[in-house]
């Protein structure tokens, strides 16, 4: 009982402020790494609160930097905190935090895009996918340059139930540019509806929690920042392989201002393209004159399921690459000896 009481009442000892840490170690945000520091501990507390009850939880913080969010996570009474930081300049300051919370903090100097998270947490924390989420959380104030590729990578991990999701439906609380957060959570018909909307919402419950004004960061970014919470769904809304869903969704949004059939055409080789596009849309019961942003999740599910059947019937179809076909056509045109330069087609301009 005494041990649990201590865990509940954990407080960090007096430490230099985050601002003082930045001065002490002469830390400067690097623009090329899109780094922005959040110094207000009231805001870092608010971010951590969105993750839920972290008492005795295991947490991985991505890109802790000078350690503002790190302090809030530790103050929430976590059992273990794994810090993954790519920039070696921040390691000494994080080690200071580690020493202030003996036995609680592990620091990895590495890149989250390549770090293997399958073994990041104790095996006993694993839960079945159908159960409640495990007591594991991922939290991070992500650099803008890495946020989109990282969430796509993690969504693929959700689909395949590996990486940090080998432990079950691990929850994530992450920051994004406000516009990216709006894409992640956009509903059908919304102007921010995009590939990210479908890929995230068919796999997770996605909540846009709150917006942090740019002036709260040092240096001040040109955009505001939003905190987004992800909880993987027990059953994905589109039950097809990640790569197939991604290919269909990317194709649909390739010409986002045109009718949706224009993007769907790019799923098929030029020979027989029109007939196969009509077959796909008719079988999937999708109006070809809808814009990509107007398509519902169920319509994307129908398109993916129908495309999967077509790929099963024609195994070479899935590996077809529209852009590669365009490149070959362009190369052939460039080889033609002509006194005048042929005008580029709309497709070539798109490429």
């Amino acid at each position: 009982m005494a041990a649990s009481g201590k865990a509940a009442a954990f407080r960090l000892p007096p430490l230099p402020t985050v601002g003082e840490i930045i001065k002490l170690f002469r830390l400067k945000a690097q623009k090329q790494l899109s780094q922005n520091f959040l110094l207000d501990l009231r805001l870092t507390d608010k971010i951590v609160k969105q993750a839920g009850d972290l008492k005795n939880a295991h947490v991985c913080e991505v890109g802790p930097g000078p350690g503002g969010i790190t302090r809030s996570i530790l103050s929430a009474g976590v059992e273990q905190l794994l810090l993954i930081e790519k920039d070696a300049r921040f390691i000494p300051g994080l080690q200071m935090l580690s020493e202030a919370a003996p036995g609680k903090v592990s620091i990895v100097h590495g890149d989250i895009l390549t770090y293997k998270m399958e073994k990041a947490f104790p095996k006993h924390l694993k839960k079945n996918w159908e159960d409640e989420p495990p007591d594991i959380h991922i939290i991070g104030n992500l650099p803008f340059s890495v946020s989109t590729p990282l969430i796509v990578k993690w969504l693929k991990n959700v689909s395949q139930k590996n990486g940090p999701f080998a432990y079950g439906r691990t929850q994530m609380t992450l920051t994004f540019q406000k516009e990216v957060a709006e894409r992640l959570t956009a509903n059908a018909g919304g102007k921010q509806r995009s590939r990210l909307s479908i890929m995230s919402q068919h796999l997770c419950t996605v909540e846009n929690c709150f917006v942090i004004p740019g002036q709260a960061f040092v240096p001040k970014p040109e955009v505001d920042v939003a905190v987004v919470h992800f909880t993987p769904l027990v059953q994905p809304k589109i039950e097809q392989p990640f790569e197939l869903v991604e290919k269909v969704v990317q194709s649909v949004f390739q010409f986002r201002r045109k009718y949706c059939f224009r993007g769907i055409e790019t799923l098929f080789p030029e020979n027989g393209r029109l007939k196969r596009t009509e077959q796909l849309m008719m079988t999937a019961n999708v109006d070809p004159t809808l814009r990509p942003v107007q398509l519902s999740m169920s319509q994307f599910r129908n398109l993916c399921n129908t495309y999967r059947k077509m790929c099963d019937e024609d195994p070479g179809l899935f590996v077809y690459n529209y852009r590669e076909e365009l490149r070959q056509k362009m190369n052939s045109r460039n080889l033609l000896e002509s006194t005048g330069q042929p005008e580029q087609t709309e497709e070539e301009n798109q490429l």
Side-chain angles (χ1 to χ4, degrees), residues 175-210:
T175 62
F176 297 88
Q177 292 183 53
K178 182 183 175 184
E179 183 177 319
V180 175
E182 289 171 347
R183 289 177 194 162
L184 286 163
T185 56
N187 294 318
K191 65 178 182 178
Q192 294 287 17
R193 185 76 158 177
S194 68
R195 173 180 70 106
L196 275 179
S197 314
I198 308 304
M199 298 309 296
S200 58
Q201 293 172 36
H202 102 84
L203 290 164
C204 299
T205 299
V206 190
E207 180 186 0
N208 193 338
C209 302
F210 66 95

Side-chain angles (χ1 to χ4, degrees), residues 41-101:
L41 294 185
R42 291 171 299 179
L43 285 173
T44 61
D45 285 347
K46 190 175 180 181
I47 291 172
V48 170
K49 189 175 181 181
Q50 298 303 316
D53 184 6
L54 298 185
K55 182 181 175 184
N56 299 325
H58 288 247
V59 176
C60 172
E61 185 187 355
V62 182
I69 294 178
T70 312
R71 297 178 186 223
S72 295
I73 294 172
L74 288 170
S75 296
V78 297
E79 179 73 20
Q80 288 288 326
L81 174 57
L82 170 64
L83 304 176
I84 302 177
E85 177 55 64
K86 184 178 180 179
D87 193 334
R89 298 175 304 144
F90 297 118
I91 301 298
L94 296 174
Q95 286 174 336
M96 184 181 292
L97 277 175
S98 177
E99 292 164 4

Side-chain angles (χ1 to χ4, degrees), residues 197-245:
S197 314
I198 308 304
M199 298 309 296
S200 58
Q201 293 172 36
H202 102 84
L203 290 164
C204 299
T205 299
V206 190
E207 180 186 0
N208 193 338
C209 302
F210 66 95
V211 174
I212 304 174
Q215 59 261 32
F217 293 85
V218 178
K220 177 184 176 296
E222 296 179 359
V223 295
D224 292 337
V225 173
V227 178
V228 183
H229 184 77
F230 301 81
T231 305
L233 295 167
V234 172
Q235 203 77 16
K237 293 179 180 176
I238 304 174
E239 295 194 66
Q240 295 294 347
F242 184 88
E243 291 82 1
L244 185 143
V245 178

Side-chain angles (χ1 to χ4, degrees), residues 247-300:
K247 184 177 183 182
V248 171
V249 174
Q250 280 182 332
S251 297
V252 170
F253 281 100
Q254 189 162 187
F255 300 97
R256 61 179 293 117
R257 295 184 180 181
K258 297 184 179 293
Y259 293 142
C260 65
F261 80 84
R262 182 65 189 86
I264 291 171
E265 283 184 324
T266 65
L267 289 168
F268 304 106
E270 188 172 23
N271 184 22
R273 176 174 290 157
L274 180 59
K275 182 178 179 181
R276 285 177 143 183
T277 302
E278 290 175 347
Q279 177 190 348
L280 172 57
M281 303 207 71
M282 188 176 297
T283 306
N285 193 28
V286 174
D287 182 347
T289 62
L290 289 174
R291 307 288 181 183
V293 299
Q294 295 176 300
L295 296 185
S296 67
M297 187 66 73
S298 63
Q299 288 171 318
F300 273 105

